[in-house]
Amino acid sequence: MRQHTYLTPGSGIFMRYKWEHGAMRTATKRKTSVTLDSAALKAAKSLTINVSAVAEAALIKAVADARRKKWLADNASAFAAQSDCHARSGHPLAKIITAPGGSSRSR
């Protein structure tokens, strides 16, 4: 994957261009300051670990996890209503759903 990074002068904003799946994607990066354990930072630098990339990946995962948790909480009542409906009336696809290993097609 080819990747190019450009800095907009004086703004502290980086524009990163990546080729993904045959198309160019743009990611805006902003400088920030974080406080890290000095021993961990020293060890990372001695091992040539890209601290920014690790922090970014961890932040992206934390945001995705928080969004998923929020979505599940926001939709809990819908899941409960669907479960109640299935308990009362049966699953609408019960005739074509089978146990693992079985065929789901009628012959």
Side-chain angles (χ1 to χ4, degrees), residues 66-86:
R67 283 182 175 156
R68 180 181 185 279
K69 185 176 179 179
K70 182 182 181 317
W71 184 85
L72 288 170
D74 290 349
N75 292 285
S77 62
F79 298 139
Q82 181 182 36
S83 182
D84 290 345
C85 179
H86 290 174

mmCIF file of all heavy atoms in Angstrom, residues 66-86:
data_model
loop_
_atom_site.group_PDB
_atom_site.id
_atom_site.type_symbol
_atom_site.label_atom_id
_atom_site.label_comp_id
_atom_site.label_asym_id
_atom_site.label_seq_id
_atom_site.Cartn_x
_atom_site.Cartn_y
_atom_site.Cartn_z
ATOM 1 N N ALA A 66 -16.777 1.319 21.925
ATOM 2 C CA ALA A 66 -17.737 2.193 22.614
ATOM 3 C C ALA A 66 -18.987 2.404 21.765
ATOM 4 O O ALA A 66 -20.108 2.409 22.286
ATOM 5 C CB ALA A 66 -17.087 3.529 22.953
ATOM 6 N N ARG A 67 -18.798 2.562 20.450
ATOM 7 C CA ARG A 67 -19.962 2.719 19.551
ATOM 8 C C ARG A 67 -20.824 1.468 19.555
ATOM 9 O O ARG A 67 -22.049 1.546 19.584
ATOM 10 C CB ARG A 67 -19.501 3.024 18.134
ATOM 11 C CG ARG A 67 -19.056 4.443 17.941
ATOM 12 C CD ARG A 67 -18.662 4.696 16.507
ATOM 13 N NE ARG A 67 -18.335 6.099 16.315
ATOM 14 C CZ ARG A 67 -17.555 6.551 15.357
ATOM 15 N NH1 ARG A 67 -17.010 5.702 14.500
ATOM 16 N NH2 ARG A 67 -17.308 7.831 15.251
ATOM 17 N N ARG A 68 -20.167 0.296 19.511
ATOM 18 C CA ARG A 68 -20.919 -0.964 19.533
ATOM 19 C C ARG A 68 -21.695 -1.099 20.835
ATOM 20 O O ARG A 68 -22.874 -1.453 20.829
ATOM 21 C CB ARG A 68 -19.962 -2.142 19.373
ATOM 22 C CG ARG A 68 -20.670 -3.489 19.379
ATOM 23 C CD ARG A 68 -19.673 -4.647 19.235
ATOM 24 N NE ARG A 68 -20.361 -5.905 19.115
ATOM 25 C CZ ARG A 68 -20.853 -6.603 20.134
ATOM 26 N NH1 ARG A 68 -20.715 -6.154 21.367
ATOM 27 N NH2 ARG A 68 -21.485 -7.746 19.941
ATOM 28 N N LYS A 69 -21.041 -0.808 21.961
ATOM 29 C CA LYS A 69 -21.693 -0.899 23.270
ATOM 30 C C LYS A 69 -22.883 0.052 23.348
ATOM 31 O O LYS A 69 -23.965 -0.316 23.818
ATOM 32 C CB LYS A 69 -20.679 -0.582 24.361
ATOM 33 C CG LYS A 69 -21.196 -0.764 25.757
ATOM 34 C CD LYS A 69 -20.093 -0.512 26.778
ATOM 35 C CE LYS A 69 -20.631 -0.667 28.191
ATOM 36 N NZ LYS A 69 -19.598 -0.467 29.204
ATOM 37 N N LYS A 70 -22.716 1.278 22.840
ATOM 38 C CA LYS A 70 -23.804 2.263 22.849
ATOM 39 C C LYS A 70 -24.948 1.805 21.954
ATOM 40 O O LYS A 70 -26.114 1.899 22.316
ATOM 41 C CB LYS A 70 -23.295 3.627 22.389
ATOM 42 C CG LYS A 70 -24.357 4.716 22.411
ATOM 43 C CD LYS A 70 -23.806 6.026 21.897
ATOM 44 C CE LYS A 70 -24.794 7.156 21.925
ATOM 45 N NZ LYS A 70 -26.144 6.870 21.493
ATOM 46 N N TRP A 71 -24.616 1.273 20.759
ATOM 47 C CA TRP A 71 -25.645 0.815 19.839
ATOM 48 C C TRP A 71 -26.450 -0.319 20.460
ATOM 49 O O TRP A 71 -27.672 -0.348 20.361
ATOM 50 C CB TRP A 71 -25.002 0.368 18.524
ATOM 51 C CG TRP A 71 -26.001 -0.037 17.490
ATOM 52 C CD1 TRP A 71 -26.663 0.768 16.620
ATOM 53 C CD2 TRP A 71 -26.476 -1.373 17.235
ATOM 54 N NE1 TRP A 71 -27.510 0.025 15.829
ATOM 55 C CE2 TRP A 71 -27.408 -1.288 16.186
ATOM 56 C CE3 TRP A 71 -26.178 -2.604 17.779
ATOM 57 C CZ2 TRP A 71 -28.056 -2.413 15.677
ATOM 58 C CZ3 TRP A 71 -26.831 -3.714 17.277
ATOM 59 C CH2 TRP A 71 -27.758 -3.617 16.233
ATOM 60 N N LEU A 72 -25.760 -1.257 21.099
ATOM 61 C CA LEU A 72 -26.460 -2.367 21.752
ATOM 62 C C LEU A 72 -27.378 -1.863 22.863
ATOM 63 O O LEU A 72 -28.507 -2.327 23.002
ATOM 64 C CB LEU A 72 -25.457 -3.378 22.311
ATOM 65 C CG LEU A 72 -24.723 -4.227 21.271
ATOM 66 C CD1 LEU A 72 -23.599 -5.017 21.921
ATOM 67 C CD2 LEU A 72 -25.691 -5.143 20.538
ATOM 68 N N ALA A 73 -26.895 -0.886 23.660
ATOM 69 C CA ALA A 73 -27.721 -0.323 24.732
ATOM 70 C C ALA A 73 -28.906 0.440 24.161
ATOM 71 O O ALA A 73 -30.034 0.321 24.653
ATOM 72 C CB ALA A 73 -26.874 0.584 25.623
ATOM 73 N N ASP A 74 -28.659 1.229 23.106
ATOM 74 C CA ASP A 74 -29.736 2.017 22.494
ATOM 75 C C ASP A 74 -30.819 1.127 21.884
ATOM 76 O O ASP A 74 -31.980 1.527 21.790
ATOM 77 C CB ASP A 74 -29.187 2.933 21.393
ATOM 78 C CG ASP A 74 -28.350 4.080 21.929
ATOM 79 O OD1 ASP A 74 -28.352 4.315 23.162
ATOM 80 O OD2 ASP A 74 -27.675 4.748 21.106
ATOM 81 N N ASN A 75 -30.442 -0.066 21.455
ATOM 82 C CA ASN A 75 -31.384 -0.949 20.774
ATOM 83 C C ASN A 75 -31.823 -2.142 21.624
ATOM 84 O O ASN A 75 -32.476 -3.049 21.114
ATOM 85 C CB ASN A 75 -30.761 -1.431 19.456
ATOM 86 C CG ASN A 75 -30.627 -0.306 18.468
ATOM 87 O OD1 ASN A 75 -31.611 0.127 17.880
ATOM 88 N ND2 ASN A 75 -29.423 0.210 18.305
ATOM 89 N N ALA A 76 -31.497 -2.125 22.904
ATOM 90 C CA ALA A 76 -31.844 -3.242 23.785
ATOM 91 C C ALA A 76 -33.346 -3.497 23.826
ATOM 92 O O ALA A 76 -33.776 -4.651 23.832
ATOM 93 C CB ALA A 76 -31.300 -2.990 25.186
ATOM 94 N N SER A 77 -34.139 -2.443 23.824
ATOM 95 C CA SER A 77 -35.595 -2.642 23.876
ATOM 96 C C SER A 77 -36.110 -3.301 22.602
ATOM 97 O O SER A 77 -37.022 -4.129 22.648
ATOM 98 C CB SER A 77 -36.314 -1.314 24.125
ATOM 99 O OG SER A 77 -36.066 -0.413 23.072
ATOM 100 N N ALA A 78 -35.517 -2.981 21.454
ATOM 101 C CA ALA A 78 -35.928 -3.618 20.199
ATOM 102 C C ALA A 78 -35.558 -5.099 20.212
ATOM 103 O O ALA A 78 -36.336 -5.940 19.749
ATOM 104 C CB ALA A 78 -35.278 -2.918 19.012
ATOM 105 N N PHE A 79 -34.371 -5.416 20.737
ATOM 106 C CA PHE A 79 -33.969 -6.814 20.826
ATOM 107 C C PHE A 79 -34.903 -7.588 21.751
ATOM 108 O O PHE A 79 -35.287 -8.723 21.471
ATOM 109 C CB PHE A 79 -32.532 -6.949 21.330
ATOM 110 C CG PHE A 79 -31.508 -6.321 20.416
ATOM 111 C CD1 PHE A 79 -30.456 -5.608 20.951
ATOM 112 C CD2 PHE A 79 -31.598 -6.431 19.040
ATOM 113 C CE1 PHE A 79 -29.502 -5.038 20.133
ATOM 114 C CE2 PHE A 79 -30.654 -5.860 18.208
ATOM 115 C CZ PHE A 79 -29.599 -5.157 18.758
ATOM 116 N N ALA A 80 -35.292 -6.970 22.874
ATOM 117 C CA ALA A 80 -36.200 -7.613 23.818
ATOM 118 C C ALA A 80 -37.570 -7.833 23.180
ATOM 119 O O ALA A 80 -38.169 -8.908 23.344
ATOM 120 C CB ALA A 80 -36.323 -6.777 25.086
ATOM 121 N N ALA A 81 -38.053 -6.842 22.443
ATOM 122 C CA ALA A 81 -39.353 -6.975 21.781
ATOM 123 C C ALA A 81 -39.319 -8.081 20.733
ATOM 124 O O ALA A 81 -40.266 -8.871 20.610
ATOM 125 C CB ALA A 81 -39.748 -5.647 21.136
ATOM 126 N N GLN A 82 -38.223 -8.170 19.981
ATOM 127 C CA GLN A 82 -38.100 -9.225 18.978
ATOM 128 C C GLN A 82 -38.055 -10.599 19.646
ATOM 129 O O GLN A 82 -38.689 -11.545 19.194
ATOM 130 C CB GLN A 82 -36.845 -9.008 18.139
ATOM 131 C CG GLN A 82 -36.659 -10.045 17.053
ATOM 132 C CD GLN A 82 -35.388 -9.854 16.269
ATOM 133 O OE1 GLN A 82 -34.366 -9.451 16.825
ATOM 134 N NE2 GLN A 82 -35.440 -10.144 14.986
ATOM 135 N N SER A 83 -37.328 -10.689 20.745
ATOM 136 C CA SER A 83 -37.235 -11.951 21.472
ATOM 137 C C SER A 83 -38.600 -12.365 22.011
ATOM 138 O O SER A 83 -38.987 -13.544 21.929
ATOM 139 C CB SER A 83 -36.229 -11.812 22.614
ATOM 140 O OG SER A 83 -36.080 -13.024 23.291
ATOM 141 N N ASP A 84 -39.344 -11.414 22.554
ATOM 142 C CA ASP A 84 -40.701 -11.701 23.047
ATOM 143 C C ASP A 84 -41.599 -12.174 21.917
ATOM 144 O O ASP A 84 -42.377 -13.118 22.090
ATOM 145 C CB ASP A 84 -41.305 -10.456 23.708
ATOM 146 C CG ASP A 84 -40.652 -10.100 25.023
ATOM 147 O OD1 ASP A 84 -39.918 -10.948 25.581
ATOM 148 O OD2 ASP A 84 -40.860 -8.951 25.491
ATOM 149 N N CYS A 85 -41.500 -11.526 20.772
ATOM 150 C CA CYS A 85 -42.309 -11.904 19.609
ATOM 151 C C CYS A 85 -41.985 -13.332 19.182
ATOM 152 O O CYS A 85 -42.888 -14.121 18.898
ATOM 153 C CB CYS A 85 -42.071 -10.927 18.462
ATOM 154 S SG CYS A 85 -43.010 -11.316 16.971
ATOM 155 N N HIS A 86 -40.682 -13.659 19.147
ATOM 156 C CA HIS A 86 -40.291 -15.017 18.784
ATOM 157 C C HIS A 86 -40.764 -16.025 19.813
ATOM 158 O O HIS A 86 -41.171 -17.139 19.459
ATOM 159 C CB HIS A 86 -38.773 -15.111 18.630
ATOM 160 C CG HIS A 86 -38.248 -14.384 17.431
ATOM 161 N ND1 HIS A 86 -36.921 -14.249 17.193
ATOM 162 C CD2 HIS A 86 -38.868 -13.743 16.412
ATOM 163 C CE1 HIS A 86 -36.740 -13.568 16.079
ATOM 164 N NE2 HIS A 86 -37.920 -13.242 15.596
#
